[in-house]
Amino acid sequence: MDDNRIKEILQKEEFNKSELIELLNSDDAGKKLIFAKAAEIKEKYVGNKVYFRGLIEFSNICAKNCYYCGIRGGNKKLQRYYVTENEVLEAVKYAWENKYASLVIQAGERKSKKFVDSITNLLQKINAMTNNEMGITLSLGEQSEETFMKWHAAGARRYLLRIEASNRELYKKLHPNNKTHDFDTRLNALHLLRKCGYQVGTGVMIGLPFQTIEDLADDLLFFKEFDIDMAGMGPYIEHEDTPLYQYRDQLMSKKDRFDLSLKMVALLRIMMKDINIAATTAMQTLDKMGREKAIKVGSNIIMPNLTPVKYRESYLLYEDKPCIDEEASECKNCLEARIHISGAEIGYGEWGDSKHFKNRR
Ligand code: SAH
Ligand code: SF4
C-alpha cells in the first residue's frame, strides 16, 4: 500500500475499523510512519519515563483451563506452588528499597474464601510495611464485586484483567465452553473493576490461532470504547502442554507475530494518548530487544520479575519465557541498561499512575 495513504489515515483524529485494518496490514515503510507517529505522541502525552512494576507471580494454582495457558489447571505436569508470605514481603522490601514504587501481584484464578482472605491480608501487610507507599496492582482473574471491593479497601489501586479476545466467538474457541470460562462474566468483571474505583487494565494476545486482522482492529476499538486506563498486550506463544498446541502449524511466524504486536502497541498509543501501556515479557520472548522496541513505539511500563527464582520454572505461561533464572538485582541491572538503550529514563520512586485515569476524574 502506498505511503501517502498511511500518512492520510494517520492524520485523522480517530480511526474507524477499515482504517485500522489498513494500518495493521501496512508494509515496512508504512510501519515506520506508524512508529514515528506513536513515538511523537508518547513523548508529548506521557513523556520519556518508564515506570517499574515489580512482578510477583504469587501462585500457579488455577481453577481454570484456558486452552492457551501453560499453567491451566488441567496441566498435570506442573509442580503447583504459592509464594509464602515472608517471601512476598522480602520481594516487596527489595522493590521498596530500590524505589520501584509499584508492584503487580499475579496468579492463577481462585475464588475460595481462604484465597481471597490471604490476598487481603497480604495487601494489609505490604501497606503496613511500606507506609502505604507502594502502588499495588492485582492480576488475579475474575472475582465477585465484594472481593474487588475488599481488595480495593485493603489498598489495591489497579487491576489487570485481559479480555484476551474481544470477539466473543473467538473467545469461545480459546476456552472451554462452560460457566467458568464465560465471555460475559469476564466483560462484566471489567465493569465491576471500574465501578469499584480501580485503574482498569486489559489486553489481548496477538497472533492466536483463528484470530484475524479484523479481530485485532476490533480489539483496539474495544479498548477505546471501554475507555481503559492501562493495557498489557503481547504475542501469543504456543505451549506444548496446552490444547491450542495442535494448531501451531497454522500460526503466523514468530517474527510476524512480534511485528504485529508492536504495531498494536503503537496504534493503541496513537488512539489512547495518555494511558499506561506495558512492554510485556512475551514481547521479549520473540525478539531479544522486544521490550526496548515496545518502549520506543509507545510503552511506558515494564515489570521486572521479583518472583523467587525457585518458583519461576513453574510459572511458564508459554514456551521460552525469558529471565527465569535471574535474581531481582540482575533483572534490575539488565532492565536499567535496556531502558537506557531505548533512550528512556526510569521513573524511580514515582507511582506512574495512568494519566488517563486522572484526566477522566
Ligand atoms: N489468571 C489471571 C492472571 C494470570 S495469566 C488471568 O488469567 O487473568 C496472565 C496472562 O497471561 C493472561 O491474561 C494471558 O493473556 C497471558 N497468557 C497466558 N498464556 C499465554 C500464552 N500461551 N502466550 C501469551 N500469553 C499468554
Ligand atoms: Fe488460569 Fe489465567 Fe492461565 Fe487462564 S490464563 S489458565 S485463568 S492462569
Side-chain angles (χ1 to χ4, degrees), residues 14-232:
E14 303 236 321
F15 308 138
N16 62 31
K17 181 169 172 183
S18 72
E19 288 159 350
L20 282 171
I21 292 170
E22 285 184 70
L23 292 167
L24 287 166
N25 279 325
S26 64
D27 59 14
D28 278 352
K31 187 170 87 177
K32 282 196 184 124
L33 294 170
I34 296 170
F35 290 172
K37 172 94 182 185
E40 184 190 308
I41 289 185
K42 182 188 166 195
E43 177 76 37
K44 183 163 165 201
Y45 289 88
V46 293
N48 195 28
K49 278 191 188 159
V50 172
Y51 301 98
F52 277 2
R53 313 283 187 238
L55 173 65
I56 301 170
E57 293 156 337
F58 177 65
S59 172
N60 66 355
I61 303 173
C62 186
K64 289 176 82 170
N65 254 315
C66 309
Y67 289 157
Y68 39 84
C69 179
I71 67 168
R72 60 200 300 272
N75 180 5
K76 302 295 176 212
K77 290 192 189 166
L78 275 185
Q79 275 259 37
R80 299 288 165 171
Y81 75 86
Y82 65 91
V83 181
T84 66
E85 186 179 289
N86 275 344
E87 286 167 332
V88 173
L89 292 177
E90 219 166 277
V92 172
K93 187 159 172 267
Y94 177 88
W96 193 44
E97 287 174 355
N98 285 280
K99 300 200 167 13
Y100 281 15
S102 285
L103 291 174
V104 178
I105 301 175
Q106 190 179 73
E109 187 175 304
R110 267 189 295 168
K111 294 187 166 113
S112 67
K113 185 173 182 309
K114 190 168 164 228
F115 178 75
V116 170
D117 289 347
S118 75
I119 296 293
T120 310
N121 185 29
L122 208 50
L123 288 166
Q124 286 161 347
K125 291 219 162 107
I126 292 171
N127 278 325
M129 189 176 104
T130 62
N131 311 322
N132 301 311
E133 283 174 17
M134 277 290 183
I136 307 176
T137 308
L138 298 179
S139 178
L140 302 170
E142 296 151 35
Q143 302 288 343
S144 67
E145 180 172 357
E146 188 195 347
T147 298
F148 286 148
M149 276 174 28
K150 205 180 263 179
W151 289 343
H152 192 270
R157 287 295 169 263
R158 319 179 185 117
Y159 205 103
L160 301 174
L161 186 77
R162 290 186 176 179
I163 192 72
E164 316 293 4
S166 67
N167 173 341
R168 72 174 64 232
E169 293 312 315
L170 175 58
Y171 190 92
K172 274 193 200 159
K173 294 182 186 154
L174 307 172
H175 300 91
N177 191 3
N178 61 30
K179 264 175 78 184
T180 18
H181 299 83
D182 178 50
F183 179 82
D184 289 306
T185 309
R186 194 145 185 104
L187 183 59
N188 189 47
L190 283 174
H191 287 289
L192 291 177
L193 287 164
R194 164 78 35 89
K195 186 175 161 198
C196 295
Y198 286 90
Q199 295 174 48
V200 180
T202 191
V204 293
M205 284 170 284
I206 297 152
L208 287 157
F210 323 119
Q211 188 184 49
T212 63
I213 292 290
E214 284 77 10
D215 289 328
L216 291 171
D218 279 331
D219 288 335
L220 290 169
L221 292 169
F222 170 85
F223 300 150
K224 179 93 183 167
E225 167 73 22
F226 189 91
D227 199 30
I228 61 172
D229 304 303
M230 316 181 289

Side-chain angles (χ1 to χ4, degrees), residues 289-304:
M289 302 289 278
R291 285 189 290 193
E292 292 81 332
K293 289 179 185 171
I295 289 170
K296 280 210 166 128
V297 305
S299 295
N300 65 332
I301 300 291
I302 220 160
M303 306 204 276

